[in-house]
Amino acid sequence: METKITHIAVVTIPAFSHQASIVEFCKRLVHFHHNFHVTCIFTTIDSPPQATITFLQSLPPNIDYIFLPPINKQDLPKDVPLAVQIQHAVSKSLLSFHHALKSLCSSNNPLVALISDPFANETLEIAKEFNLLPYIYFPPSAMTLSLFLHLPTLHEEVSCEYKDHKGAIHIPGCLPIHGNDLPEHLDDRSSLSYELFLERSKRFSLAYGFLVNSFSAIEGERVSTLVEIGNKPVYLVGPVIQTGAIIEPKESDCMMWLENQTPKSVLYVSFGSGGTLSEEQVNELAFGLESSGQKFLWVFRAPNVSANALYLGASNDDPLQFLPDGFLERTKGQGLVVANWAPQTQILSHKSIGGFLTHCGWNSTLESIVLGVPMITWPLFAEQKMNAVLLTKGLKVALRPKFNDNGTAERKEIAEVIKELMLGEEGNEISQRIEELKYAAVAALKEDGSSTRALSQFISDIENFLRQQV
C-alpha cells in the first residue's frame, strides 16, 4: 500500500538567519517523518541573497522551495528600522503568496498546513481561506515568544514608555527584565515600529500552535506558562542550528590559523550575519582586544551608525581600512582579523576556541551552547538584549560588559571582561555550566530526546486533526 504524503508549506522573511533556521527545521522534520513533503516559500527584497541560494543546494528531495517575485528595495519606506522594511516587503508579497498557495493547494498533493515565520504571520489569514492548519515557527527563544504573546496585555497594563517603567517588567514565565532590555521596537510607543510589533503580536492568536527553536534543559519550565498565555500547544523542537558548511573548512584561512593555536586559547568575535558597530565602538573593541593579551579571531565589518545596516545588503568598503592605525601590525602574533564572513559553526567547534563574543542572535546563541563555548554578550538589536539577560542571569553561561551613558563599551572594561572569561574563576565556572548544557542539547536531539518527542507530537497533532476532518 502506498504511503500517503502529507504536504505542508512554510513561509519566511528576507533575512538569512530566519531562512536558515526554518529550513534546518524542515530538514529535521522530513528526516524523522519520511511521509512529509515541505515547500518553502521565500519573500525577497531585490533578489535572493547568494548565501540563501547556496544554502538551498543541499536540500533533500522531499523539500522544495519557491522564491516569490522580489520587492524592489526602492519601493520600501526609507529611514525606518530594518524590521519595518521587512514587514512592508512581506505585505507587498501577499498577493503573490496567495497565488503560490492557491497553486499548491490545487496540485496533485494539496497542502494541509502552513507554518509561518512570526514576522510573516499576515499569511496565516490567507491560510484560513484555504482551510490550512496554521502554525508559527518561532526562531528566537521561548522567553521572546512569551513577550509576543503577552504584549497586548502589557500594552494595556503599562502606560509609560517601558524604559521609563520603575522596576523590572514581569512577563509570565520569564526572568524579570528591565525596559531597556526589551527589543528596540518597543522603545517608542508612538512609533510605526511599535505599532507593527503590537499588530503582529495580536495576530499570534491566528496560530493553532507554536514551534519554538529551544529545548527543555534551558527553557522547559516556560512551556506550561506559554500554553496558559496563548491557550495553544507549544513544541520545543530545538536546538535547530545550521549544520552544513558553505565552504570547506580546510579552504578557510581562519581554520588553518586556528590549527596553530593552543586548546581553548582563542576568543571568537562576531556580530552575526550583518551586525555592525559604530566607528568609536570599533576602536574601543580593537584596543580592548589588544590590551587583553588574549588570542582572538575577529570577523570584522566596516563600521556603520546602524547596528543592522548590512542585513539587506553588503558594504562595498574594504573593512580592514577602518581598523585603528597599526592595529593589524601590533596584533599580528596575537590575533587574526577576517573581513565580513567566516564559517562560524566550524570555528566554534574547533578545539582552539575558548570563548565567543557574540551579538546574542538566537542562532549564534544556540550554536555556542550546542558546541559548549562560553560567551561574552554584546547585544545590538531585536530581542538580543533579552537573550543576554537569559544567558547571564538565567543560564549563567555568559558575561556582559558594562556600557557607558553614551552606549559605548570602553576598552578597559572590554579587556577586563575578556580576561575574566578566558582566565578567571568566574569564566571557569561558566565553562563548566555550558559544558553541561552542551550534553543536554545533544540529548534533546536524540531519537528519544525531548525535542524529537515534541516534533513527533506536532506531527501526531496534525494527523489527528486531518483524521477529524474526514
Side-chain angles (χ1 to χ4, degrees):
M1 182 176 175
E2 186 178 352
T3 304
K4 181 175 174 58
I5 299 297
T6 302
H7 188 188
I8 66 174
V10 303
V11 58
T12 185
I13 61 173
F16 179 73
S17 59
H18 283 236
Q19 294 169 349
S21 183
I22 202 166
V23 171
E24 289 290 356
F25 163 75
C26 292
K27 288 161 67 174
R28 183 166 164 76
L29 187 152
V30 300
H31 172 75
F32 282 103
H33 301 275
H34 303 300
N35 61 318
F36 270 70
H37 188 95
V38 180
T39 299
C40 300
I41 303 173
F42 294 88
T43 55
T44 59
I45 296 173
D46 285 346
S47 61
Q50 186 57 48
T52 301
I53 294 172
T54 304
F55 180 64
L56 295 175
Q57 291 173 354
S58 60
L59 290 180
N62 42 358
I63 299 180
D64 295 322
Y65 62 88
I66 298 169
F67 285 110
L68 297 179
I71 302 302
N72 191 324
K73 188 177 180 180
Q74 298 303 315
D75 295 335
L76 299 175
K78 308 295 187 296
D79 301 320
V80 297
L82 174 66
V84 174
Q85 288 190 313
I86 286 176
Q87 190 64 53
H88 276 269
V90 170
S91 297
K92 286 177 175 290
S93 298
L94 288 179
L95 182 58
S96 56
F97 172 79
H98 188 282
H99 292 327
L101 217 57
K102 184 176 182 180
S103 176
L104 291 170
C105 287
S106 59
S107 65
N108 292 332
N109 185 22
L111 292 175
V112 299
L114 174 71
I115 303 174
S116 168
D117 184 283
F119 284 83
N121 64 16
E122 290 169 273
T123 60
L124 297 184
E125 296 172 338
I126 299 174
K128 287 196 304 183
E129 181 182 336
F130 293 99
N131 296 316
L132 301 179
L133 200 54
Y135 287 92
I136 287 177
Y137 174 77
F138 201 76
S141 66
M143 183 171 170
T144 307
L145 176 58
S146 297
L147 171 64
F148 269 86
L149 292 174
H150 185 64
L151 184 61
T153 301
L154 190 66
H155 176 74
E156 299 298 329
E157 289 178 344
V158 178
S159 58
C160 64
E161 297 291 358
Y162 299 117
K163 59 188 176 183
D164 297 330
H165 183 70
K166 291 183 179 179
I169 290 175
H170 294 275
I171 300 166
C174 291
L175 297 163
I177 191 165
H178 290 283
N180 284 334
D181 283 328
L182 292 176
E184 84 275 11
H185 314 303
L186 307 187
D187 283 350
D188 179 0
R189 289 164 64 109
S190 64
S191 69
L192 179 59
S193 293
Y194 183 86
E195 182 183 332
L196 290 174
F197 202 96
L198 183 61
E199 283 179 8
R200 192 180 306 121
S201 296
K202 291 176 179 177
R203 282 198 295 270
F204 271 49
S205 62
L206 296 172
Y208 188 79
F210 305 99
L211 299 140
V212 185
N213 188 12
S214 191
F215 60 105
S216 60
I218 60 173
E219 295 200 285
E221 77 282 359
R222 294 189 218 293
V223 171
S224 59
T225 305
L226 281 169
V227 171
E228 289 175 15
I229 301 173
N231 197 27
K232 308 284 176 67
V234 176
Y235 314 90
L236 298 186
V237 294
V240 177
I241 64 171
Q242 189 176 329
T243 54
I246 294 178
I247 64 170
E248 288 296 322
K250 297 295 184 186
E251 296 176 4
S252 170
D253 291 341
C254 60
M255 297 306 297
M256 291 189 286
W257 183 82
L258 286 173
E259 285 296 317
N260 296 319
Q261 311 307 317
T262 55
K264 297 188 181 298
S265 66
V266 178
L267 177 72
Y268 173 55
V269 182
S270 176
F271 297 95
S273 55
T276 51
L277 304 178
S278 68
E279 192 165 354
E280 178 188 8
Q281 187 63 86
V282 163
N283 288 335
E284 292 299 309
L285 177 53
F287 288 120
L289 287 166
E290 182 179 352
S291 62
S292 75
Q294 302 304 299
K295 296 274 188 173
F296 64 87
L297 170 57
W298 185 4
V299 182
F300 183 72
R301 295 189 183 88
N304 198 295
V305 292
S306 175
N308 57 8
L310 300 187
Y311 272 88
L312 291 186
S315 168
N316 294 322
D317 293 324
D318 171 20
L320 301 189
Q321 67 178 304
F322 296 98
L323 288 165
D325 290 342
F327 175 77
L328 291 175
E329 291 75 17
R330 294 193 305 273
T331 60
K332 194 169 184 180
Q334 179 188 354
L336 178 68
V337 181
V338 180
N340 295 322
W341 184 87
Q344 180 160 294
T345 51
Q346 284 74 33
I347 290 170
L348 288 173
S349 62
H350 198 279
K351 65 182 185 299
S352 298
I353 297 297
F356 181 18
L357 193 158
T358 172
H359 69 311
C360 301
W362 193 241
N363 286 351
S364 292
T365 295
L366 287 179
E367 287 170 5
S368 205
I369 290 173
V370 167
L371 297 168
V373 180
M375 285 168 272
I376 294 172
T377 65
W378 195 303
L380 295 178
F381 53 88
E383 88 292 354
Q384 293 163 10
K385 289 181 182 178
M386 291 185 67
N387 295 341
V389 172
L390 175 61
L391 291 170
T392 56
K393 303 294 187 185
L395 301 175
K396 298 181 180 178
V397 293
L399 298 176
R400 187 174 182 178
K402 296 181 178 67
F403 288 72
N404 64 25
D405 293 340
N406 296 323
T408 302
E410 297 174 359
R411 61 191 71 181
K412 183 180 178 183
E413 169 73 6
I414 294 167
E416 289 176 354
V417 170
I418 290 172
K419 285 188 284 189
E420 181 58 46
L421 186 79
M422 302 298 286
L423 303 173
E425 183 178 337
E426 190 173 3
N428 183 55
E429 292 171 357
I430 285 172
S431 293
Q432 294 176 25
R433 281 192 287 269
I434 204 162
E435 192 71 12
E436 294 172 4
L437 287 184
K438 172 184 175 179
Y439 290 114
V442 171
L445 295 176
K446 289 182 176 178
E447 286 202 23
D448 61 345
S450 60
S451 294
T452 307
R453 294 196 305 272
L455 185 62
S456 296
Q457 185 61 54
F458 163 65
I459 298 300
S460 296
D461 289 349
I462 286 183
E463 291 173 340
N464 289 337
F465 178 85
L466 294 176
R467 280 194 290 271
Q468 292 170 12
Q469 303 307 300
V470 176

